[in-house]
Amino acid sequence: MNTRPTPREQFLRTGYRLLDELDTTDLARSLSIAAVVDGAGLSHQTFHNAYPGNSRSGGSGGKEAFVADLLDNLTVNYSGTVSPTDPPTGWRDAAAPVSALFDDLTSGLMRRRLIAVLFAADHDGARKAVTPEFERLDADLRTVVGQAIQAQGGSVRRPLSLTSLSTALGALLDGYALREMLTPGSVATDEVSDAVTSILRWAIDPVHSDRIAPEPDPVDALEGAASLRPDLEADVIAATETLFLDNGYFLVTLADIAAAAKIRVEDLRRLFPSKVDIIVAALKPEFDRVLRLRRADERLGIEPAVALQRTLISLGDFVIDNRAMSSGMLLALSFEQFQHPSTITTVIENLYLPAAVVPILERGRETGVFSDEAPAPEVAIMLTNNVLFRCLTRPTETASDVVAGVLRVLMPGVSTRTP
């Protein structure tokens, strides 16, 4: 039997409906200008000088102009807490930045995110203002997850990808933060760390055991204007680096890269005939910087032993900052030379790391600082190869740490006296 709702129930139902239909920009208009002025420590006259006019008389000044400005410059004040300072070495290290983000969320960031979402749902200006901050947080979280994958030397288990895994972790944190806001004390930071650690343990496959390259999505339907993107080569390089992080060098095909970059395979081959060509395009500008810094030291007359250390550190930073592409370069040199000898030629012509060191060794031999027991190119290869391998296999060490270790062992056989 249907019962007639009581007046109280009718009022509540109507209130819920009005709340659901509420335009949240109306909330911003309810701000008290007096509270804004007092909080800023300024005067009402200063406010009206900043926002002249009177919206009450039909104009667009005063409070109406302030609210429009407020929404167009909405911010969640994300500080980048999630970004780690050092690459993770273990699961706990990988989970630590994510746990720090949970602490940031529960300290006010979550409330600001919710407010931003509410305003952005009704106001284009607010949406444009906060979208970059939301994207920056997503990108930082993706970086943390990517570094965890690199530290374990594996790939993301199918059907997940780096993007979907970081999105899932972000959603988990948002949910935990909401629960903590509603029931303070219900979620501890250690519990968040345990959950993230468990998910990463499952999601990261250290031996690539379940990687089966999928059939790439057809891209024939893409607009012809795709080839007119501002920097299509940069898009391809970014897509390749992401795929290398997700799946490793060997398990990525040009078809995978084309699909990820939303470009036809035949167009990709016109830009980059092989994966090695993409690696070279990504790394050459960074390697050119290493060579430029070495030439500057030479022109300034920096003592050879010091110049050698400085250049090796620059090489180490180059490898660490481009870990995914550097790993691909090393694997290509190590294995693809047997099937594609041109790989060696392409890399040596553009990314011959010993070339950064040979001139320093030769200059040091001329001044009697370095011995000449072995040809300078061979010594340069030994030095740069050790720096390269150690930077790729010791994610917790800085370039300075790596170079100090390499020179501690090899410098006695290179120099004629202790630098």
Side-chain angles (χ1 to χ4, degrees):
M1 181 177 70
N2 293 329
T3 59
R4 186 181 183 86
T6 65
R8 182 169 179 238
E9 289 172 335
Q10 287 181 288
F11 286 137
L12 289 175
R13 289 178 184 177
T14 302
Y16 295 145
R17 178 175 55 80
L18 291 175
L19 284 174
D20 191 49
E21 297 173 353
L22 178 66
D23 184 337
T24 50
T25 56
D26 291 337
L27 296 178
R29 296 188 182 96
S30 69
L31 282 174
S32 166
I33 297 305
V36 172
V37 168
D38 290 342
L42 300 172
S43 67
H44 279 77
Q45 185 58 53
T46 303
F47 175 86
H48 291 295
N49 289 340
Y51 299 99
N54 188 345
S55 57
R56 294 181 181 177
S57 60
S60 59
K63 185 174 182 178
E64 192 73 21
F66 166 71
V67 170
D69 196 15
L70 176 69
L71 293 173
D72 286 339
N73 292 278
L74 194 65
T75 178
V76 297
N77 290 319
Y78 169 59
S79 60
T81 305
V82 72
S83 298
T85 55
D86 297 305
T89 58
W91 298 111
R92 281 287 176 182
D93 287 343
V98 184
S99 301
L101 176 57
F102 171 75
D103 291 337
D104 199 7
L105 286 169
T106 53
S107 298
L109 178 59
M110 190 67 218
R111 177 182 175 86
R112 296 192 300 271
R113 279 166 66 84
L114 289 172
I115 292 172
V117 168
L118 288 172
F119 283 127
D122 295 324
H123 193 277
D124 288 340
R127 185 181 303 111
K128 292 177 181 177
V130 299
T131 293
E133 286 187 271
F134 277 71
E135 291 178 345
R136 185 158 67 91
L137 190 148
D138 291 342
D140 286 350
L141 190 57
R142 178 191 175 93
T143 297
V144 170
V145 177
Q147 289 187 333
I149 295 169
Q150 284 187 347
Q152 301 303 314
S155 60
V156 181
R157 294 187 189 277
R158 290 295 193 183
L160 290 174
S161 66
L162 174 59
T163 298
S164 62
L165 175 58
S166 59
T167 299
L169 288 174
L172 176 70
L173 289 178
D174 282 342
Y176 271 143
L178 278 172
R179 173 63 62 86
E180 178 64 17
M181 287 176 63
L182 290 171
T183 53
S186 62
V187 181
T189 302
D190 286 345
E191 293 174 349
V192 176
S193 179
D194 289 342
V196 172
T197 298
S198 297
I199 291 172
L200 289 176
R201 282 183 182 276
W202 172 84
I204 299 176
D205 176 12
V207 295
H208 313 281
S209 60
D210 65 353
R211 165 62 174 163
I212 300 175
E215 290 295 325
D217 295 330
V219 294
D220 294 339
L222 294 176
E223 297 181 6
S227 60
L228 300 179
R229 280 182 273 174
D231 195 341
L232 187 55
E233 289 188 348
D235 293 344
V236 170
I237 290 171
T240 304
E241 186 168 14
T242 298
L243 289 170
F244 283 177
L245 279 172
D246 280 353
N247 309 305
Y249 171 79
F250 288 116
L251 297 173
V252 174
T253 66
L254 285 180
D256 292 330
I257 296 170
K262 294 181 172 59
I263 181 177
R264 293 178 300 182
V265 175
E266 55 267 32
D267 289 338
L268 174 61
R269 290 187 183 278
R270 292 189 186 99
L271 292 174
F272 302 108
S274 71
K275 290 187 292 184
V276 170
D277 292 296
I278 300 175
I279 292 172
V280 168
L283 294 182
K284 192 172 187 309
E286 301 297 323
F287 182 55
D288 286 345
R289 178 179 180 275
V290 174
L291 297 177
R292 177 175 60 79
L293 294 176
R294 188 264 300 162
R295 289 192 294 267
D297 281 355
E298 185 175 346
R299 289 194 295 270
L300 292 172
I302 302 298
E303 200 272 328
V306 176
L308 177 64
Q309 183 181 39
R310 283 165 54 86
T311 296
L312 288 175
I313 290 174
S314 295
L315 275 173
D317 285 330
F318 157 76
V319 172
I320 291 170
D321 292 342
N322 302 276
R323 196 182 299 273
M325 289 295 188
S326 296
S327 297
M329 175 187 69
L330 180 60
L331 291 171
L333 284 173
S334 301
F335 297 100
E336 290 202 354
Q337 58 176 306
F338 302 110
Q339 295 181 352
H340 305 284
S342 61
T343 294
I344 298 296
T345 303
T346 301
V347 173
I348 288 179
E349 288 179 349
N350 296 277
L351 299 171
Y352 188 55
L353 303 191
V357 175
V358 169
I360 302 174
L361 295 174
E362 292 176 341
R363 183 161 59 93
R365 290 179 176 189
E366 292 173 359
T367 58
V369 174
F370 298 144
S371 66
D372 57 359
E373 293 182 6
E378 289 187 15
V379 177
I381 290 171
M382 283 186 268
L383 288 169
T384 55
N385 279 357
N386 275 276
V387 170
L388 172 62
F389 279 107
R390 195 174 181 94
C391 283
L392 290 177
T393 57
R394 302 292 184 95
T396 60
E397 295 187 8
T398 66
S400 296
D401 293 334
V402 168
V403 171
V406 170
L407 291 181
R408 186 165 52 249
V409 174
L410 297 184
M411 184 57 88
V414 174
S415 62
T416 57
R417 62 177 184 269
T418 302

